[in-house]
Amino acid sequence: MFQVAAPLNTRVAKNVILFLGDGMSVATLAATRTYLGNRHGYSGEELKLSFEAFPYTGLAKTYCVDNNVADSACSGTAYLSGVKANSGTVGLSGAVRKGDCEAQRTGKHSVTGVMDWAQRVGKATGVVTTTRVTHATPAAAYAHSADRRWESDADVPAGVHCEDIASQLVRGSVGSKIDVVLGGGRRNFYPDTEKDTDGVSGHRKDKKNLIKEWMKKKESLGAKPKYVHDKKGLMKLNETQFNSVLGLFSSEHMPYHLEANEDVYPTLTEMTLKAIDVLKKKKEGFFLFVEGGRIDTAHHETKARKALDETAELAKAVEAAMKEVDPEDTLIVVTSDHSHTMTYNGYSKRGSDILGFVNKQNASDSLPYTTLSYATGPGYKTNDNNYLRHNLLDDDLSSANYTYPSLFPLGRETHGGEDVAVFARGPWAHLFTGNYEQNYLPHALAFAACIGDGFTACNSQYSF
């Protein structure tokens, strides 16, 4: 009934929040519904994740310029900058191949994006992630790198003189102006001669402490900055006293929700809400990019239980954000950068354990098989007994670290190439319906928020 009765919202979007479930395929969404249902006493299939109730949905095509299956770098460049790119490159056009430092250095092929467009009209900006803040996905919001792996100067090969991604967050024209940055990756900001608050040595070879440099840079720009390194520091933060926050909560990626010490590590929801609290003070509005990044890493390990739980955490963060903003002036879009090879199969009875065995029949070799499995990855197992398939009854499927079966053996499971879902609510949300190229997304965001130099709701010759 909502879609029948609701008028189109064609107001200018004062605020924009883009949620990205890294590797959040359609199969992952469907399996997560059942996962949540299993946990809370429902059959599960009939449930909806928070953003699945949004009134407008679409499908985005995710391929790179050079590859038919995307990685997080080329896809991040597409949905944040509006330009398709080559695999492994961040914030650069398809004219640059992975590893081409000289092409990065010239700056001729650098592409601007939503973060920059929002900053240029005076909006507050923020990045929240459960991965390293220098990882490919968040890096696409502010950096230009010919290789996504150049996260610190220690990652840049000897003799190659290109600025690393962490440096660009602190010194770059876009990165230095981001008001809130929350996530992991502390090691890329510390010199290798120092240890962080966890006693872990830094990764930088240039002996620079970029956290201290970030503080000085922000102060020089007239901001009131605050650095925090744990949940207590974040939750105690008084957003009326500080308008710029850097939170690095782990040396590496933040731990999976199922394994995290809740007294030490903030959840994705807690980081999202704190970011909104800081950003919403700006009268011009804000743009916030939030990544549930560990969905992807769990899938790469074929640890389906973790992947579904991380997806549920993203849905929680979206639901919490919805309660903090006005749907009349805030556009919220939820999508993914690419798919994965996990399949949801069999003919189990409704309400069956999504993480267990198909419960109606065994495979033709008389051995059981799981409802969730992967085409590629480390879950491949052999059994030398008469060439039979590995008997999954010998495995502990209840473990969060169980690697689900895969057809082809690889050290890391690969991404999938199919389209990903897009969900939208708020001003101009109807622009996100249909099937389109992934690089359409930032142009639609810009149109709704009247940012950037292109065609927008504010400079249109048409009357809406």
Side-chain angles (χ1 to χ4, degrees), residues 62-71 74 84-88 97 417:
T62 63
Y63 60 90
C64 305
V65 169
D66 58 343
N67 287 354
N68 61 355
V69 176
D71 79 320
C74 79
K84 289 267 187 179
N86 287 316
S87 180
R97 293 284 181 176

Side-chain angles (χ1 to χ4, degrees), residues 79 82 138 140 234 335 358 386 456:
Y79 63 75
L234 180 68
T335 187
V358 173
N386 297 322
T456 74

Side-chain angles (χ1 to χ4, degrees), residues 62-306:
T62 63
Y63 60 90
C64 305
V65 169
D66 58 343
N67 287 354
N68 61 355
V69 176
D71 79 320
S72 294
C74 79
S75 56
T77 303
Y79 63 75
L80 286 167
S81 294
V83 175
K84 289 267 187 179
N86 287 316
S87 180
T89 65
V90 173
L92 300 168
S93 76
V96 181
R97 293 284 181 176
K98 183 179 178 182
D100 188 348
C101 175
E102 184 57 31
Q104 173 187 329
R105 283 168 56 86
T106 66
K108 291 191 300 183
H109 305 296
S110 296
V111 292
T112 187
V114 185
M115 193 69 65
D116 176 49
W117 304 339
Q119 290 174 353
R120 284 196 276 128
V121 297
K123 292 185 183 294
T125 54
V127 174
V128 172
T129 180
T130 51
T131 66
R132 297 185 298 270
V133 298
T134 51
H135 204 232
T137 298
Y142 59 85
H144 310 286
S145 180
D147 194 324
R148 57 175 287 177
R149 297 173 298 180
W150 296 347
E151 295 186 46
S152 83
D153 68 314
D155 301 317
V156 182
V160 175
H161 304 290
C162 267
E163 188 175 16
D164 62 273
I165 293 170
S167 293
Q168 292 184 56
L169 178 58
V170 176
R171 303 168 186 160
S173 60
V174 176
S176 64
K177 296 185 182 71
I178 300 176
D179 300 289
V180 177
V181 179
L182 304 176
R186 198 187 299 132
R187 69 173 193 173
N188 292 325
F189 296 81
Y190 271 88
D192 58 8
T193 54
E194 295 182 26
K195 293 185 177 180
D196 66 13
T197 49
D198 290 337
V200 179
S201 295
H203 197 55
R204 303 195 65 81
K205 299 293 185 183
D206 59 7
K207 312 308 177 188
K208 301 292 185 181
N209 185 315
L210 293 185
I211 296 173
K212 293 180 180 178
E213 188 174 324
W214 176 85
M215 290 288 292
K216 292 179 181 178
K217 178 73 172 182
K218 285 295 185 181
E219 289 169 351
S220 73
L221 294 172
K224 297 177 180 178
K226 179 70 174 178
Y227 169 68
V228 293
H229 62 84
D230 60 11
K231 177 177 177 176
K232 182 179 179 181
L234 180 68
M235 303 313 289
K236 287 177 60 179
L237 180 74
N238 186 340
E239 58 272 8
T240 63
Q241 296 180 350
F242 304 100
N243 58 12
S244 194
V245 183
L246 175 63
L248 300 174
F249 306 106
S250 176
S251 298
E252 258 287 351
H253 294 323
M254 293 182 67
Y256 288 109
H257 170 253
L258 286 175
E259 298 172 337
N261 182 334
E262 62 181 16
D263 295 325
V264 176
Y265 300 101
T267 64
L268 184 61
T269 296
E270 290 165 340
M271 291 192 291
T272 299
L273 291 179
K274 184 58 70 172
I276 291 173
D277 285 343
V278 175
L279 298 175
K280 70 182 181 182
K281 295 184 298 179
K282 199 75 174 283
K283 66 179 182 179
E284 292 84 359
F286 64 83
F287 169 67
L288 175 61
F289 177 59
V290 181
E291 182 203 18
R294 304 232 60 189
I295 302 169
D296 176 72
T297 58
H299 275 320
H300 278 306
E301 299 166 358
T302 68
K303 294 177 180 176
R305 186 180 298 271
K306 285 182 174 178

Side-chain angles (χ1 to χ4, degrees), residues 11 15 321-331 425-427:
R11 296 177 56 176
N15 311 309
M322 290 164 57
K323 297 175 182 177
E324 294 298 309
V325 297
D326 184 350
E328 291 302 307
D329 69 7
T330 302
L331 172 63
R425 184 193 89 156

